[in-house]
Amino acid sequence: MKSLVIITGASRGFGRAVAEALCQNLVSEGSCILLMARSQAGLEATAQSLKTIQPNSIKVQCCRIDLAHPDETVFRTSIQEALSKFEGDLKQFEQAVVVHNAGTMSPQGLMTWHCSKSTDLAAYFAMNLSSTMVLNSVLHEEIFAQVPKAVVVNVSSLAAVEAIISWSLYCTGKAARDMYFKCLAQECPQYRVLNYAPGPLDTDMIAEVLADPKIHPEIQKIFEELVQQGNLLQPKTSADKLAQVLKADEFVSGSHVDYFNL
């Protein structure tokens, strides 16, 4: 299907794997892929990978943007500028697919009673919740209403539905994002909305978590065992599964779907 695909956090890890999987398994000739992240070098590396997968049949644009500072005007301008680089208007696309992947797992080791600094909380939720809500609102106005089909994917986590010691910020942020997209599915039944939990992934983010001196011993043990036992998923494995789910298009809109339940 001729698609416009937008992926946040696309410069590395799961975001890059999702871009590659959708490029290979979901989109057809004439599709356009917009990659969003803070790292220009990382975005260009992902773009080069996509051009290798489909050298001549798709177009790729990079949009360097800092989602840690949600600003409607900045987001709208960035989207409009990126879209202007693709030939033709939005009516050429049969669907728009948006994957909200950007997010962070830090800070580490914060118990619930440590969440006392409002500035730190505001910064965390600006990056992990507010930016997603603001960007999705802009996309709703600029893109979704102008294409026959809109598919909105939130990269979720087991932490959205299960409490994890010392991860109250992460759990709360993920749970709130899930609920936001559940509400979107209710309010916009014409959209296809999915909260996808990709499973524990073997990415740089895991290495960063384990290297953090503030990590809680219980969390450290869990991840160290996953690494030692080889039970971390490769990003490609989970991203390919996501592509299959989107292609089959049989999920209940707004639902939370975990890799291990597929």
Side-chain angles (χ1 to χ4, degrees), residues 104-115 124-125 157-160 162-175 200 205-206 208-210 212 214-220 222-223 226:
T104 63
M105 296 178 77
S106 295
Q108 289 290 309
L110 293 182
M111 307 300 276
T112 53
W113 56 85
H114 292 147
C115 300
Y124 182 84
F125 289 116
S157 169
L158 178 65
E162 289 194 13
I164 300 175
I165 188 170
S166 79
W167 274 15
S168 59
L169 279 179
Y170 186 70
C171 292
T172 301
K174 285 297 187 181
M205 190 174 287
I206 295 298
E208 292 167 4
V209 168
L210 287 172
D212 192 330
K214 295 181 180 179
I215 187 172
H216 191 278
E218 186 172 317
I219 302 301
Q220 184 174 26
I222 291 172
F223 279 106
L226 286 170

Side-chain angles (χ1 to χ4, degrees), residues 36 147 149 221 257:
M36 305 180 73
V147 293
K149 180 180 180 181
K221 181 180 179 181
V257 175

Side-chain angles (χ1 to χ4, degrees), residues 72 76 136-146 191:
E72 179 188 359
R76 191 180 303 279
N136 197 73
S137 297
V138 170
L139 295 174
H140 171 87
E141 296 176 359
E142 296 291 333
I143 296 175
F144 298 163
Q146 302 182 55
Y191 297 168

